[in-house]
Amino acid sequence: MGLYEGIKDVANLVQKADNIELYKQLLDLSAQALDMQSKISELTNENKALKEQQDLSNRIERHKEPYITLKDDELHILYCSHCWDVNKKLIQGECDINGHFYCPECKYRFVYDREKYKNRPKKYSQLKVYGL
């Protein structure tokens, strides 16, 4: 029997006993119990989210350049370290063939591959990037 059913059964007994004061107290207690049940559900969901975030934090691999990857990611996707540090969001960056990384969320731009950057075509040399 659940909490709600138990309260309902006791309320029926109290109502039959014709004790109005006891019935009012039972209603107050049932409201408190339902509030507590709601709070427990909220805390359980929050706890689950925190555990998932901690699991994700344990998978983060930091690099010399300002990006992060996931240790078990075979694709080696680059994520913005700024977005992770500030908002705990994994935002996949856009990487180009010239060694630039760009975050579409925070607009952070930097060089993630210095070799590609050094060998880029001249027409890209005026692009302002961080990390040089």
Side-chain angles (χ1 to χ4, degrees):
M1 175 184 341
L3 178 63
Y4 180 72
E5 291 83 15
I7 291 172
K8 190 174 168 183
D9 289 347
V10 172
N12 287 335
L13 291 174
V14 170
Q15 194 174 21
K16 287 178 186 175
D18 202 25
N19 188 336
I20 293 174
E21 185 59 35
L22 187 58
Y23 189 71
K24 285 181 184 179
Q25 288 178 351
L26 182 62
L27 288 176
D28 288 343
L29 285 173
S30 67
Q32 289 176 14
L34 291 174
D35 286 345
M36 288 171 55
Q37 198 171 28
S38 174
K39 186 66 173 175
I40 288 170
S41 177
E42 179 184 320
L43 290 172
T44 300
N45 291 338
E46 183 180 330
N47 188 29
K48 181 182 176 187
L50 288 171
K51 283 182 180 180
E52 288 172 356
Q53 186 177 36
Q54 185 60 43
D55 289 344
L56 189 56
S57 291
N58 292 336
R59 294 174 52 211
I60 297 291
E61 186 173 3
R62 296 207 174 257
H63 301 274
K64 180 181 174 188
E65 303 298 344
Y67 66 85
I68 57 176
T69 56
L70 298 177
K71 292 175 185 173
D72 55 353
D73 180 16
E74 293 176 9
L75 298 176
H76 199 68
I77 296 172
L78 305 185
Y79 299 98
C80 179
S81 61
H82 178 262
C83 289
W84 174 255
D85 292 340
V86 173
N87 301 316
K88 299 298 182 228
K89 290 182 179 178
L90 281 181
I91 305 297
Q92 183 176 347
E94 298 171 8
C95 301
D96 67 17
I97 60 171
N98 300 309
H100 298 121
F101 175 97
Y102 173 73
C103 176
E105 179 76 16
C106 71
K107 312 300 184 224
Y108 192 57
R109 181 184 298 275
F110 62 88
V111 173
Y112 76 93
D113 187 326
R114 292 185 186 277
E115 275 307 306
K116 286 182 181 179
Y117 182 73
K118 286 178 190 175
N119 297 324
R120 74 192 184 285
K122 295 274 188 214
K123 66 180 181 178
Y124 297 110
S125 63
Q126 294 178 352
L127 183 62
K128 185 175 182 177
V129 294
Y130 302 101
L132 296 178

